[in-house]
Amino acid sequence: MNPGNSVLETMDDWTRRGWLSHLNRAFARFLQYLDNDAPAPVLWAGALVSHQLDRGEVYLDLEKLSQQPELTLALPTGTAPVSPLRKYNLDEWTAALEKSRLVTDGAGDTPLVLEGNRLYLRRYWRYQQTLNIAIEQRLQPIRNSLPEALLEPLASLFPSAPGGPDWQKTACVLALRARFSIITGGPGTGKTTTLTKLLALLIQLTRYQASATKNPVILLAAPTGKAAARVSESIGKALDNLNISDDIKQAIPTKASTLHRLLGSRPDSRQFIHDRHNPLVADIVIVDEASMIDLEMIASLLAALADNTQLILLGDKDQLASVEAGSVMGDLCHGAEQAAYDDNTLAWINTYAGAKLKATGFEGTGVNQQTVMLRHSHRFGEHSGIGQLAKAVNAGNVKAAISILNDTDRYSDLAPLPRGDYLKLKEQPHPEAAEHLLKKLVSINNGNDAQDQPRPRQGYGYYVDVIRKNRPAESAHYDNWARQVLTAFDTFQVLCALRQGPSGVQGLNSRIEAWLFPKQQSFWYEGRPVMITRNDYNLGLMNGDIGIALKTAEGRLKVAFPGDDPVSDITIRWVSPLRLPTVETAFAITVHKSQGSEFNHVALVLPEIRSPVITRELIYTGITRAKENFTLLESSKDVFRQAILTTYK
């Protein structure tokens, strides 16, 4: 009997248990088809690298697999069927793969590529090569000094201030040095403000080097429509407070597009219109919310850049990685918090940023030399529970995080209404108590203040009230009403760690729908919020866009979406439900889907039972989606504690 057949039989058992997908098992069978004599370790490695791809990992770490298979593969601990993997140590894994004709170190067209202890599917190995080569080329300094004419604008944009290094100024001077740079930092650290000042400097630098009237071609992008709309809005606000001439302000772009739109998606294809044969026409490309970019997308973007195009990435390195495979931002920014600059980089920073940085003793990578981490949050001060909790979670400090959550007298932004129910839930977490509090939170409607702005602690009861009470008498005002409804809906959001189960997206959406609209009988009804789950370029709707079903002046039900198309001034897009691509109800969404968004009040619902996907990064991302209030709803204390101790890094 072919030993590979017994391996496939074991994989069948794993598939029934949900540890492997049918696709993972099918890939192992494909490898056996290519080489009927493929040994068991090669078939297992093929199935497992495919499994890791499903988890967002672009390679299988053989060293970790040989040491801790359950942890590496995110399988239940102490499971006896994992024993087939324990037969092989690292040397045996690598020896079997190196001898196989299905594997090379990159040459040829084998389905698998082994690079050190990392096993890749060939396509993702190629993406990684594209990323490595393109960034390495852009890391080389393109100037040895800054022109004297730029020093005065630099000083004007960044007046001297007492205290430590001005990291925003440091980010700008490093970005002026090479054709690649990263600006990372948590929420409120001024990434967009820094970018806006940097763009003003780059425009002035271009005019100095070329002609007084020439402006660089600058393209702004983000992974999702919502993130693109946010960066557009943020740059517009930053410009209002920027002390620069009007002609420079007018040259700074304020409209961002999605990456798919920027590159030009081809229907039913992984290819884009812009690639290495047809590069983007741009001097500078800026991508915000870069933590959401997967490896395939960043490789496609880099392939579409001309050699002299500058790339600037912005994002929070500590957020969740993209839904698709590849933790690009986290990997590129590894060690950014250490400010591990070499002597040449330190000399440049100290000369032009007026800093007094010294070597930290850490050996930095080439990417580290062009990366700056912003550290001071202007949004969350020392009295902000959201800010302090996010900091504790990000540091993996369980004791501090729990202490902050419990100190609701000091951190009122962590104590939702009704407060009494919340305190009872913290004392004794229980599914029924969490459900009871969530139902109350969802229904809260505090009305508006004197300036007609929503109060910070709102539930979905607020947007439902806006639908019913603010409906205009004339059709000409329906766009404005729809905008009010969408804004009201954004003041509160329920976030989930999982999709399945009572505390997952599907279970919560069903119950919240019943709480808010108990009399609705049909699938579509006025007030239903929906999220797009598949890009539709004909409609201009992207995965993650949220709209709300409303009745038009003619009484027809349509879904209102924000008019965030950068090439259009439309404020609201009204779309028939029949024309929409795949959608799902959006009272509750996953933390992954919330990236690139912010809400006044966030309620993060954790399940009773631990899951490998509930990590420190997920909790941190959920917390930092909240601008003014955050509520943690947990049915078991252990889930939150264990999540803080679990990280992909």
Side-chain angles (χ1 to χ4, degrees):
M1 178 180 177
N2 189 322
N5 292 336
S6 64
V7 172
L8 294 177
E9 289 176 2
T10 304
M11 289 183 187
D12 287 335
D13 179 54
W14 280 45
T15 304
R16 285 190 292 270
R17 293 171 179 267
W19 298 349
L20 289 178
S21 70
H22 290 285
L23 181 61
N24 305 151
R25 195 270 188 195
F27 184 66
R29 178 66 186 88
F30 171 69
L31 294 178
Q32 188 188 46
Y33 169 78
L34 294 178
D35 181 3
N36 194 49
D37 296 324
V42 173
L43 298 181
W44 271 114
L48 297 179
V49 71
S50 175
H51 167 80
Q52 292 298 79
L53 198 64
D54 295 340
R55 297 184 56 243
E57 301 285 349
V58 297
Y59 61 84
L60 174 66
D61 189 318
L62 296 173
E63 184 174 12
K64 290 183 178 179
L65 177 68
S66 62
Q67 295 171 351
Q68 296 178 305
E70 295 99 339
L71 184 62
T72 303
L73 303 172
L75 298 177
T77 57
T79 50
V82 178
S83 57
L85 306 184
R86 296 190 183 279
K87 294 179 182 178
Y88 314 110
N89 58 33
L90 176 59
D91 291 339
E92 290 169 326
W93 280 112
T94 54
L97 289 165
E98 287 172 349
K99 293 176 183 177
S100 174
R101 63 188 184 89
L102 300 173
V103 187
T104 66
D105 60 359
D109 58 358
T110 56
L112 299 173
V113 175
L114 183 63
E115 191 174 79
N117 294 327
R118 296 180 175 184
L119 182 68
Y120 291 85
L121 294 176
R122 174 163 293 276
R123 179 153 59 90
Y124 285 88
W125 177 80
R126 284 176 177 158
Y127 294 149
Q128 190 68 58
Q129 296 305 300
T130 299
L131 172 69
N132 295 345
I133 294 170
I135 289 182
E136 182 65 31
Q137 291 173 343
R138 285 178 167 77
L139 288 175
Q140 306 308 312
I142 57 175
R143 52 181 62 90
N144 297 319
S145 62
L146 292 178
E148 291 289 332
L150 202 64
L151 301 185
E152 183 178 344
L154 183 61
S156 175
L157 287 169
F158 296 97
S160 299
D166 186 335
W167 293 110
Q168 292 190 13
K169 189 175 184 180
T170 299
C172 285
V173 299
L174 274 186
L176 295 169
R177 182 187 183 213
R179 288 197 175 96
F180 177 80
S181 61
I182 298 176
I183 303 173
T184 186
T189 51
K191 295 186 291 293
T192 308
T193 300
T194 305
L195 172 65
T196 308
K197 293 180 178 180
L198 172 58
L199 290 176
L201 292 168
L202 287 167
I203 290 168
Q204 292 175 83
L205 180 60
T206 299
R207 291 182 176 183
Y208 172 80
Q209 292 177 329
S211 69
T213 58
K214 178 177 172 59
N215 292 320
V217 178
I218 303 171
L219 300 178
L220 292 175
T224 66
K226 203 159 190 177
R230 272 192 58 207
V231 69
S232 299
E233 180 184 3
S234 298
I235 289 179
K237 289 180 179 178
L239 280 175
D240 292 338
N241 300 317
L242 210 57
N243 184 27
I244 56 175
S245 63
D246 288 341
D247 68 315
I248 296 292
K249 283 187 179 182
Q250 291 170 5
I252 294 176
T254 58
K255 291 290 187 181
S257 71
T258 63
L259 281 169
H260 283 85
R261 187 182 295 277
L262 180 76
L263 295 177
S265 294
R266 296 181 185 273
D268 303 318
S269 170
R270 306 179 82 100
Q271 306 303 313
F272 294 95
I273 294 172
H274 292 288
D275 56 18
R276 63 190 180 90
H277 302 294
N278 180 31
L280 289 163
V281 179
D283 296 303
I284 303 164
V285 172
I286 298 111
V287 182
D288 195 20
E289 295 291 350
S291 63
M292 299 170 66
I293 307 176
D294 60 89
L295 180 60
E296 182 176 3
M297 177 55 77
I298 193 70
S300 298
L301 174 63
L302 287 164
L305 298 183
D307 291 342
N308 61 350
T309 300
Q310 180 172 359
L311 178 63
I312 302 168
L313 302 179
L314 290 87
D316 185 346
K317 70 180 181 65
D318 296 314
Q319 277 189 198
L320 275 171
S322 64
V323 177
E324 302 298 332
S327 177
V328 176
M329 189 70 168
D331 292 342
L332 290 175
C333 291
H334 183 72
E337 64 277 4
Q338 309 296 346
Y341 300 124
D342 60 27
D343 291 343
N344 291 333
T345 305
L346 287 172
W348 180 276
I349 292 172
N350 292 339
T351 298
Y352 295 112
K356 296 180 180 179
L357 294 181
K358 297 180 179 180
T360 59
F362 293 92
E363 184 176 351
T365 64
V367 175
N368 287 154
Q369 308 313 306
Q370 286 300 123
T371 301
V372 175
M373 179 176 172
L374 307 182
R375 298 150 196 266
H376 175 67
S377 176
H378 302 276
R379 183 188 306 167
F380 302 129
E382 61 178 315
H383 300 296
S384 164
I386 295 172
Q388 296 302 315
L389 181 61
K391 188 183 299 183
V393 168
N394 198 27
N397 192 332
V398 174
K399 184 177 180 181
I402 293 175
S403 174
I404 291 165
L405 276 174
N406 289 335
D407 196 353
T408 52
D409 290 331
R410 180 179 181 185
Y411 302 118
S412 59
D413 55 344
L414 301 178
L417 299 174
R419 182 166 177 159
D421 292 323
Y422 183 58
L423 295 177
K424 290 179 182 177
L425 177 64
K426 286 199 303 178
E427 291 173 4
Q428 190 171 0
H430 190 273
E432 291 183 5
E435 179 93 347
H436 175 73
L437 178 56
L438 179 62
K439 186 174 182 179
K440 288 189 175 183
L441 285 175
V442 162
S443 304
I444 289 175
N445 175 24
N446 284 331
N448 294 2
D449 62 18
Q451 286 74 43
D452 197 37
Q453 294 296 316
R455 297 182 188 276
R457 287 195 182 92
Q458 294 286 9
Y460 291 136
Y462 172 51
Y463 99 93
V464 173
D465 194 56
V466 172
I467 292 175
R468 293 169 179 168
K469 293 185 177 180
N470 292 18
R471 188 188 307 275
E474 300 178 8
S475 59
H477 300 299
Y478 265 61
D479 278 9
N480 185 51
W481 170 58
R483 175 66 71 179
Q484 291 176 10
V485 173
L486 289 164
T487 301
F489 182 80
D490 267 356
T491 60
F492 177 74
Q493 183 64 60
V494 176
L495 300 183
C496 306
L498 307 175
R499 290 191 56 81
Q500 308 294 333
S503 298
V505 168
Q506 294 181 353
L508 283 172
N509 271 320
S510 178
R511 298 202 300 282
I512 294 173
E513 192 172 63
W515 297 338
L516 294 174
F517 299 95
K519 296 181 180 180
Q520 65 86 14
Q521 301 293 323
S522 61
F523 185 70
W524 283 101
Y525 55 89
E526 184 171 58
R528 183 190 179 202
V530 293
M531 173 180 282
I532 301 294
T533 59
R534 178 170 54 83
N535 294 343
D536 188 317
Y537 297 98
N538 293 326
L539 293 175
L541 297 174
M542 299 294 124
N543 186 355
D545 287 350
I546 291 180
I548 296 177
L550 298 171
K551 287 184 178 179
T552 65
E554 296 78 22
R556 293 197 296 269
L557 196 68
K558 290 192 175 183
V559 183
F561 290 91
D564 296 327
D565 187 336
V567 298
S568 170
D569 292 327
I570 297 174
T571 59
I572 294 293
R573 283 173 292 173
W574 297 88
V575 183
S576 167
L578 298 177
R579 294 190 63 201
L580 289 176
T582 309
V583 299
E584 58 185 32
T585 305
F587 291 115
I589 62 177
T590 61
V591 175
H592 262 114
K593 287 289 189 180
S594 74
Q595 291 187 90
S597 300
E598 290 181 335
F599 311 94
N600 288 23
H601 184 182
V602 164
L604 176 60
V605 181
L606 297 182
E608 293 178 66
I609 303 172
R610 284 184 58 200
S611 167
V613 304
I614 308 177
T615 63
R616 180 186 309 169
E617 291 85 358
L618 183 140
I619 300 293
Y620 171 81
T621 303
I623 294 168
T624 54
R625 297 311 89 204
K627 292 191 291 186
E628 298 178 5
N629 292 277
F630 173 78
T631 303
L632 178 69
L633 296 177
E634 52 178 335
S635 303
S636 169
K637 288 183 178 179
D638 189 55
V639 174
F640 177 69
R641 183 179 67 83
Q642 288 297 329
I644 299 175
L645 297 174
T646 305
T647 177
Y648 282 135
K649 296 177 183 177

